[in-house]
Amino acid sequence: MSSQPTRIPAAWQGVIAHYRKRIQITTAVPPVTLLEGNTPLIPAPALAKSLGGEFELYLKYEGLNPTGSFKDRGMTAAMTQAVADGARAVICASTGNTAASAAAYAARAGLKCVVLVPEGKIAAGKLAGALSYGAQVISINGSFDDGLRMVREAAQQAPIALVNSINPARLQGQKTAAFEICDVLGGAPDWLCLPVGNAGNISAYWLGFKEYHADGVVASRPRLLGAQAAGAAPIVLGHVVEHPETVATAIRIGNPARWHEAATALEESDGHICAVGDDEILAAYRQVAQLEGVFCEPSSAAGLAGIAKGLREGWLDLRGMRVVCVLTGHGLKDPDTAIRLSVAPSIIEPNMVALMKQLKIT
Ligand code: F0G
């Protein structure tokens, strides 16, 4: 037996360092990073089989980023740019994940962070994160869309940097997920499926895939399948939703800021956007956990619910294809929904008779 430790080759330095030449933000300051990115692309054969099989399915598990969602990819870029621009404070509106991510990266950068969240509509793990990282959390009696309107104005009236995905640096960071998928697969997938809320992520993925394709890194580009919650589906409906409502609180958005870019991405990729009901989202959420052991938050399962719906209704044909489904946030973000949907644990006395009864062994 060798007594030498095995060195892990080339430690990961975060998405900006890894894709430096492709990230169009400042190079004037070192990246504000928590070593985000490099998330696993997990094969999901059992899930593919339950959906009818005949295609290869992979899960891009973005819940394994430092604050538990894909937002960290964009936030490393936005916060680095903010530091280079001399910002002292940052602000965002959020359904929760952006708030937690902004709070963490602001802490890392030594900046003040203010987040606006919709009162009563943010999952516990996200609020816990934002508060713990030391952000000033302001809860508004309104929607995410109200919050976004307010922070846009605040950034114009006060010296505070806006770090929502209308900030172009955010998309520069988030497009690295497309690069990683191609780098791991050795090419682009046939389809990329993901939930759509404010529409920054679908726009960022498309930027990334287009860039790799234009530079000849990959030979093809995927078709995009976006999924919105039925109660918050402005892009599907073609009009703003005044009072969005869904169990998938992360995507409870009625007027996406990146609507136009998302529509262009869907058109250019010959993609499709669909609406999925809360029951379909929750079914997919439980299925991915129970068939593959991958725990994501409810909103994250919307893309998967979209695949299931498309296959069921016959407008999606995946036979022989390689499909990537993006799971945008970790299941632990929303413990209340997880527990509410599950059978409560049985409570027993601390003795073997009681235990054996539970095991149904007589
Ligand atoms: N999935 C999760 C877990 C999210 O938190 C979000 C967005 C999305 C999907 C949709 O991504 O907005 O780029 O289309 N969350 C934002 C937030 C709005 O404030 O955390 P999108």
Side-chain angles (χ1 to χ4, degrees), residues 103-290:
Y105 283 79
R108 191 89 176 152
L111 304 183
K112 178 182 162 63
C113 179
V114 183
V115 303
L116 268 68
V117 298
E119 168 63 22
K121 299 291 183 182
I122 163 173
K126 304 174 187 181
L127 185 58
L131 292 168
S132 299
Y133 296 124
Q136 181 184 353
V137 179
I138 300 171
S139 203
I140 54 171
N141 284 321
S143 65
F144 167 86
D145 304 288
D146 294 320
L148 189 57
R149 177 176 43 77
M150 291 161 75
V151 297
R152 277 184 200 254
E153 276 182 39
Q156 290 190 341
Q157 290 180 19
I160 190 162
L162 187 59
V163 293
N164 277 107
S165 62
I166 46 180
N167 178 333
R170 282 277 309 277
L171 300 201
Q172 288 298 309
Q174 281 173 216
K175 73 180 180 184
T176 59
F179 298 158
E180 287 179 16
I181 289 169
C182 295
D183 290 345
V184 168
L185 292 178
D190 298 301
W191 278 94
L192 181 96
C193 310
L194 77 176
V196 176
N198 210 24
N201 209 29
I202 191 169
S203 308
Y205 267 97
W206 190 237
L207 272 185
F209 286 124
K210 271 202 306 194
E211 188 176 324
Y212 254 24
H213 183 244
D215 291 348
V217 183
V218 291
S220 63
R221 311 185 300 194
R223 296 175 74 182
L224 301 179
L225 175 61
Q228 298 200 290
I235 302 179
V236 178
L237 296 170
H239 61 76
V240 169
V241 174
E242 291 295 340
H243 301 288
E245 209 47 80
T246 169
V247 67
T249 53
I251 52 172
R252 186 176 164 272
I253 293 174
N255 188 11
R258 292 281 183 181
W259 189 329
H260 176 71
E261 290 85 343
T264 305
L266 286 161
E267 196 182 311
E268 287 180 358
S269 78
D270 191 22
H272 185 68
I273 186 154
C274 66
V276 283
D278 281 2
D279 50 344
E280 294 171 284
I281 292 174
L282 293 177
Y285 161 75
R286 290 174 68 89
Q287 229 181 358
V288 63
Q290 296 184 5

Side-chain angles (χ1 to χ4, degrees), residues 300-343:
S300 292
L304 210 48
I307 295 179
K309 190 181 189 107
L311 293 173
R312 199 172 56 241
E313 294 181 351
W315 47 261
L316 189 62
D317 184 359
L318 298 178
R319 275 172 297 180
M321 304 219 172
R322 198 156 59 168
V323 180
V324 172
C325 195
V326 185
L327 300 182
T328 46
H330 202 287
L332 292 174
K333 289 277 189 171
D334 191 354
D336 298 322
T337 302
I339 293 168
R340 187 164 49 77
L341 289 181
S342 304
V343 178

